Amino acid sequence: MKTVASLLIAATALSPLAAQRPQQRTDLPAPAKVEASVAKLRDAALKDEVAYDIVEGLTTEVGQRLAGTEAEARARAWSVVKLKALGFKNVRIETYDMPVWVRGTETAEVISPFRQKLQLTALGNSGATPAGGLTAEIAYFPTFADLQAAPAGSLKGKIAFVSNAMVATQDGSSYGQFGAARFTGPNVAAQKGAAAIVVRSIGSDHGRGPHAGLTNFADGVTPIPAAALATADADNLSRMVARGKPVRLKLVLSPRQTGVHQSGNVVAEVPGSDPKAGIVLVGGHLDSWDLGTGAIDDASGVAITAAAAKRLLDGPRPRRTIRVVWFGSEEVGGFGGRAYLAAHRDERHVLAAESDFGADRVWRLETNLPDAARPIADRLAIALAPLGIVRGTGTSHGGADIEPVLGTGVAGVDLDQSGQRYFDYHHTPEDTLDRVDPAQLAQNVAAWTAMLAIVANAPEDIGPVSPK
Amino acid sequence: MKTVASLLIAATALSPLAAQRPQQRTDLPAPAKVEASVAKLRDAALKDEVAYDIVEGLTTEVGQRLAGTEAEARARAWSVVKLKALGFKNVRIETYDMPVWVRGTETAEVISPFRQKLQLTALGNSGATPAGGLTAEIAYFPTFADLQAAPAGSLKGKIAFVSNAMVATQDGSSYGQFGAARFTGPNVAAQKGAAAIVVRSIGSDHGRGPHAGLTNFADGVTPIPAAALATADADNLSRMVARGKPVRLKLVLSPRQTGVHQSGNVVAEVPGSDPKAGIVLVGGHLDSWDLGTGAIDDASGVAITAAAAKRLLDGPRPRRTIRVVWFGSEEVGGFGGRAYLAAHRDERHVLAAESDFGADRVWRLETNLPDAARPIADRLAIALAPLGIVRGTGTSHGGADIEPVLGTGVAGVDLDQSGQRYFDYHHTPEDTLDRVDPAQLAQNVAAWTAMLAIVANAPEDIGPVSPK
């Protein structure tokens, strides 16, 4: 591929709109010179095969890796071998302890008026039904707001059913809105006396594979059985409800808390030449939900960030150390991110970024940089534009793994991936290798390579920011 | 919608190629006059809602309906109520007995070199593993031909794995070629001494829902455990095999033959005015595999044929009786079709057609008519062309349900549906209502309505043919 970045820069310079650009853009420090070296790295990364090899390996040789289980431990061992083989320095596992919840039997059957089995999966932290199951009438709520509006005590002995259907958005923002039914619906239902709750999977598919995911009960609230119905099954149940007769559902769920077990983060480094310039922290999470093989969530994220760092590793030593962290136990509550901060609070992190939104194309750049480092954002925008990445108008927010670090005032960069397809597969049995498009994955690696090349070598000091 | 058929006919008449048309086309009996009445019925059917209502009802109020089980009996009862409500005459259930196989537990796990659970489902007629499971090394065969070529006795104690990947074709012809791994692979593996066999699901998807389906063992061959891996799981297993180390698999399958039980066909009629003109037999099958809700296979087929017949029922009495049969137990060996022939062998059937290839658009017309009735085929082609249906160059072949009737020399018509999407969902948990596109379903109803209007009222005698 040609380095079209220079063409873009030339066009910008000639633009009659140039005079209208905001102040910081006139400060560009000879961008063409900077971009020349970055563009070469970036364009070579469009042919990256390292990231796909990592995803293929993790999904084939390890598979699901639920946090705190022996499968996650196997994934850590696998990762150390892989990262050392790639040539990373200081490769190590940093362990910590965490409580572990595991699913058991999970079946659902409509008893009346229309006898049918439904597919569902227990939500993380769900309580269990009696061993013989729980049979009760459904209390139907089209949306989470309807559940919230139910009078106290009105759900006593019933199984709440919230059917809201998530739609996909490019920026993933619909997850928060529709996801409330899962995140806090079970807690609300429990507080109103429900015997159990089922929610339509928080997903944009029309399939039979339910979407797992975490839920949380407030202190003092006893967890009730809580599960996500596959979207097709929830829609079927909604149609039954629409017939107007009482619907009785039998649930058998036997998840359990198994106590405290070991989890861990896997750390690898590209050493920098200037220890005082600080650390650039990147990564994704190694653990996955247990229904699929965690290909898009988040083998892709660990693969993208490591593959990009590998490209810096193989070139001239960068100014800043790039630390790649494959975090443990993100899905079940972000234990890895907090453990990382606890272990590394005294080090100087200057920037953090994570990849945890699948394997589809990066479409937007957002940053949260101190004013003195704003030229870095300008250079990033110019370097990423040829990959079809727009400069966002907001601020970067990071994600669960780097949130603790960002919370200490560390600058951030988001390379936002498209969410149009992500929630079709996220947390489902369908999160498998075949959902990963190698070309889109390589575009991610190219974006991350360009970002790291710019950030790790930036001559500007990158100081603290107000956390977002 | 306008009746564009007349425009098409006018264009044909003006074509300089008209003189080159085959002999029978010059015999067209004033097609424009015939088409005028048919076109009105056909175009009205493009707004059909009866078919979707049937599919929605069967999938919501009954769900899966495995042949010979109480679920299939509930489906028959549901069907009688529905067909009577639609106004059909002589609605009745015709029962027969059949052997019934049901699945039990079904799990699979790679034990080494990479411990992972795989999703699979037992094939109809599969044997069972010991209760504690069967663990054995895999003998890998990329294709069915490779399995066939294995030396006698070479599979002793092993689990055969055939990984051939089906591709979708519009005419569905790939099912036969790739399906051999399922249809007869287990029998071949058993004869060569295999302890069990797993095949990549015969499907064109990339998912986790395995494709169920029938297999058959020859007389004297003891059924071995035989299952279909989900396509994604089979691909994962293939990647493990490609690593070059022996792969050990543990299977737990507990299907069983439950003895002889009752099944049945549901029959409904649009009485004709001329008893001597014979019966036009149409239908699909009411039973389904048990993993999904049988929306495309074959609630759609029974719905399409009944909805089309209903349009004739609501108009002037047709010359010939249209008999709609919702056959039982097609999936498990075509018991319904044979029972139908045994019960109705003495009646004069003049034409039979079935709908059993999903809910997507009809794209091709094929016929098998006696020479004296060839003008009917010409009129069908003209009436169906505006729906985007081409006239095939072959011969109709019917399907499993009407095969026994066709075998007695009855004429046939095929309205071939597109197979591009069918094998993504066929026999899987994903065969649910949301796979049915109402617009495509209505196009089917329009095609069947036009076909029935022409065939049931044709003035020509429709005599016997050579079975195809």
Side-chain angles (χ1 to χ4, degrees), chain A residues 22-392:
Chain A
Q23 181 59 29
Q24 66 271 24
R25 301 224 177 172
T26 63
D27 298 337
L28 285 179
K33 218 166 84 185
V34 174
E35 295 297 332
S37 63
V38 171
K40 188 176 172 185
L41 274 170
R42 178 199 64 204
D43 295 348
L46 285 170
K47 294 182 180 167
D48 180 78
E49 293 182 349
V50 171
Y52 192 84
D53 177 67
I54 291 171
V55 180
E56 197 267 359
L58 258 180
T59 54
T60 305
E61 300 183 3
V62 181
Q64 72 83 19
R65 22 193 205 282
L66 186 67
T69 67
E70 63 80 30
E72 196 200 29
R74 275 191 284 119
R76 286 193 295 276
W78 185 95
S79 301
V80 166
V81 171
K82 174 61 72 176
L83 290 163
K84 284 184 175 174
L86 288 170
F88 283 97
K89 307 301 178 190
N90 306 325
V91 178
R92 61 199 187 267
I93 295 171
E94 298 180 351
T95 62
Y96 52 87
D97 289 336
M98 53 162 289
V100 176
W101 172 99
V102 297
R103 74 182 70 257
T105 299
E106 35 195 39
T107 66
E109 187 171 11
V110 178
I111 301 300
S112 64
F114 310 117
R115 194 156 196 131
Q116 282 203 46
K117 290 181 181 170
L118 302 178
Q119 294 195 182
L120 87 181
T121 199
L123 299 176
N125 290 328
S126 167
T129 62
L134 165 72
T135 302
E137 189 175 324
I138 278 176
Y140 175 64
F141 302 102
T143 70
F144 175 60
D146 296 314
L147 172 65
Q148 286 179 301
S154 64
L155 300 185
K156 193 165 168 55
K158 295 193 173 175
I159 299 173
F161 168 38
V162 185
S163 72
N164 70 189
M166 180 188 175
V167 292
T169 56
Q170 190 176 21
D171 67 1
S173 56
S174 53
Y175 189 48
Q177 179 176 335
F178 294 101
R182 188 195 90 206
F183 310 147
T184 58
N187 184 61
V188 171
Q191 288 178 321
K192 292 177 188 289
I197 181 171
V198 292
V199 301
R200 188 183 191 275
S201 279
I202 310 305
S204 48
D205 62 305
H206 299 275
R208 301 297 305 284
H211 294 241
L214 197 68
T215 193
N216 284 299
F217 294 91
D219 288 344
V221 176
T222 302
I224 56 175
L229 289 161
T231 57
D233 297 72
D235 292 345
N236 200 352
L237 188 58
S238 294
R239 292 194 299 271
M240 294 183 198
V241 169
R243 258 71 172 168
K245 293 178 186 167
V247 176
R248 289 177 67 78
L249 190 63
K250 179 179 180 181
L251 298 177
V252 181
L253 297 170
S254 62
R256 63 200 172 90
Q257 301 284 355
T258 65
V260 170
H261 297 273
Q262 191 176 74
S263 183
N265 298 322
V266 180
V267 181
E269 289 177 353
V270 180
S273 59
D274 180 357
K276 292 184 180 167
I279 296 164
V280 174
L281 172 68
V282 296
H285 65 87
L286 185 59
D287 68 307
S288 75
W289 277 106
D290 52 340
L291 303 178
T293 59
I296 65 165
D297 189 12
D298 185 30
S300 294
V302 301
I304 289 163
T305 50
K310 160 81 174 158
R311 288 177 178 272
L312 278 287
L313 179 71
D314 292 346
R317 191 165 192 161
R319 181 180 173 216
R320 296 182 173 85
T321 291
I322 299 168
R323 182 174 290 166
V324 179
V325 180
W326 292 2
F327 293 90
S329 39
E330 188 273 345
E331 293 292 3
V332 296
F335 294 94
R338 290 195 296 278
Y340 176 83
L341 178 63
H344 298 276
R345 187 183 289 275
D346 295 337
E347 293 174 285
R348 187 187 178 214
H349 294 88
V350 294
L351 189 134
E354 74 174 60
S355 176
D356 184 16
F357 202 51
D360 283 1
R361 286 180 195 282
V362 175
W363 68 281
R364 186 174 65 179
L365 163 73
E366 294 282 15
T367 61
N368 183 27
L369 287 163
D371 286 347
R374 285 298 296 267
I376 297 174
D378 298 331
R379 297 201 298 279
L380 287 174
I382 290 169
L384 296 175
L387 298 173
I389 298 169
V390 302
R391 184 175 192 167

Side-chain angles (χ1 to χ4, degrees), chain B residues 304-322:
Chain B
I304 290 162
T305 50
K310 161 79 172 159
R311 287 177 178 272
L312 279 286
L313 179 71
D314 293 345
R317 192 165 191 161
R319 182 180 172 215
R320 295 182 173 86
T321 291
I322 298 167

Side-chain angles (χ1 to χ4, degrees), chain B residues 287-299:
Chain B
D287 69 305
S288 75
W289 277 107
D290 51 340
L291 303 178
T293 59
I296 65 165
D297 189 13
D298 183 30

Side-chain angles (χ1 to χ4, degrees), chain B residues 129-150:
Chain B
T129 63
L134 164 72
T135 302
E137 189 177 322
I138 278 177
Y140 175 64
F141 302 101
T143 70
F144 175 61
D146 295 314
L147 172 64
Q148 286 180 301

Side-chain angles (χ1 to χ4, degrees), chain A residues 56 59-63 114-116 206-208 236 239-240 243 291-292 429-430 432-435, chain B residues 56 59-63 74 114-116 206-208 236 239-240 243 291-292 429-430 432-435:
Chain A
E56 197 267 359
T59 54
T60 305
E61 300 183 3
V62 181
F114 310 117
R115 194 156 196 131
Q116 282 203 46
H206 299 275
R208 301 297 305 284
N236 200 352
R239 292 194 299 271
M240 294 183 198
R243 258 71 172 168
L291 303 178
E430 303 290 331
T432 53
L433 179 63
D434 37 293
R435 306 309 174 185
Chain B
E56 196 267 358
T59 54
T60 305
E61 300 183 3
V62 181
R74 276 191 283 120
F114 310 118
R115 195 157 196 131
Q116 281 203 45
H206 299 274
R208 301 297 306 281
N236 200 353
R239 291 194 300 270
M240 293 183 198
R243 258 72 172 168
L291 303 178
E430 304 289 331
T432 53
L433 180 62
D434 37 294
R435 305 309 174 185

Side-chain angles (χ1 to χ4, degrees), chain B residues 3-18:
Chain B
T3 58
V4 288
S6 52
L7 298 174
L8 182 89
I9 292 158
T12 304
L14 294 170
S15 166
L17 294 172

